[in-house]
Amino acid sequence: MTNKLSKIVANKLREIAGTISPAQEDGTTVYGEYEVAIHRANGDIENKVFKNTPIYKGLNRLAFRATTYTNTVAQYLVVGTQTAAHSLASAQGGIGEVSRKAAASIVQSQDWFALTSTWGGASDSLTGIVLSSIGVSDYVNSHATNDNFFSMSNSLNTTLAASDTLSATCRIRVGSHNLGHTT
């Protein structure tokens, strides 16, 4: 048991220190596109659309802004009762919110950002509630128009007893700075 706990702590420290190995998880590759129009003297117009190449310093900056930029800091973890799968179009109302906590820890490391919160069964009035969803938000209160969610998952599926605690860390990979990755 002690060896398992030591491994968990060591992994968390590596994540915080920025040594998360991109080979461990593929994550979602961040890319965009450029759209250009070249107007020629003879009246011809050449239109081109091509993908951009994110640079790891730029990816680091995206992660940095998620943890420090005014009004858009990913600083709240939210638990709820929603069981339906989430999609890119999921919104605040789709989490079935039961409790929202300011993160006890918010870190940015390489092209990742992460935040951690803890709930107590009885101390947070969550005893006996089936918690199915969890998400990351940038707004202090539940609000349909102001609340921006960074991610949601319906895989929590737990019920807390009075003396149970739930400690959750959400990590979001902004991109990949693994220059050896070829796809």
Side-chain angles (χ1 to χ4, degrees), residues 4-182:
K4 184 177 180 180
L5 182 59
S6 295
K7 285 181 181 181
I8 291 170
V9 171
N11 285 337
K12 293 291 181 194
L13 291 172
R14 277 197 296 276
E15 290 169 7
I16 291 169
T19 58
I20 299 170
S21 170
Q24 291 175 349
E25 299 176 274
D26 286 337
T28 301
T29 303
V30 173
Y31 74 90
E33 61 186 26
Y34 289 98
E35 181 177 334
V36 298
I38 303 162
H39 297 260
R40 301 291 182 190
N42 67 2
D44 289 346
I45 300 173
E46 295 175 35
N47 293 302
K48 296 181 181 183
V49 178
F50 48 93
K51 289 182 180 179
N52 69 25
T53 302
I55 308 303
Y56 86 87
K57 285 188 177 181
L59 295 173
N60 291 348
R61 185 67 181 158
L62 287 171
F64 174 77
R65 290 178 72 88
T67 61
T68 60
Y69 192 69
T70 304
N71 295 330
T72 59
V73 175
Q75 60 186 347
Y76 300 96
L77 274 153
V78 180
V79 292
T81 57
Q82 176 71 316
T83 58
H86 299 289
S87 70
L88 288 173
S90 290
Q92 186 275 335
I95 200 162
E97 183 171 337
V98 175
S99 180
R100 176 178 299 242
K101 287 260 185 141
S105 168
I106 303 172
V107 296
Q108 176 262 329
S109 177
Q110 301 292 1
D111 54 346
W112 293 79
F113 68 91
L115 61 159
T116 302
S117 288
T118 303
W119 286 266
S123 62
D124 288 310
S125 301
L126 295 177
T127 303
I129 299 170
V130 179
L131 301 174
S132 298
S133 285
I134 189 164
V136 174
S137 173
D138 65 354
Y139 198 65
V140 65
N141 299 314
S142 176
H143 195 280
T145 57
N146 292 339
D147 219 1
N148 295 301
F149 272 79
F150 288 69
S151 74
M152 290 181 181
S153 174
N154 66 340
S155 300
L156 185 56
N157 300 324
T158 192
T159 303
L160 299 179
S163 59
D164 291 347
T165 60
L166 166 66
S167 178
T169 298
C170 177
R171 286 181 299 280
I172 297 177
R173 186 182 210 171
V174 178
S176 175
H177 64 277
N178 180 357
L179 301 180
H181 193 61
T182 59

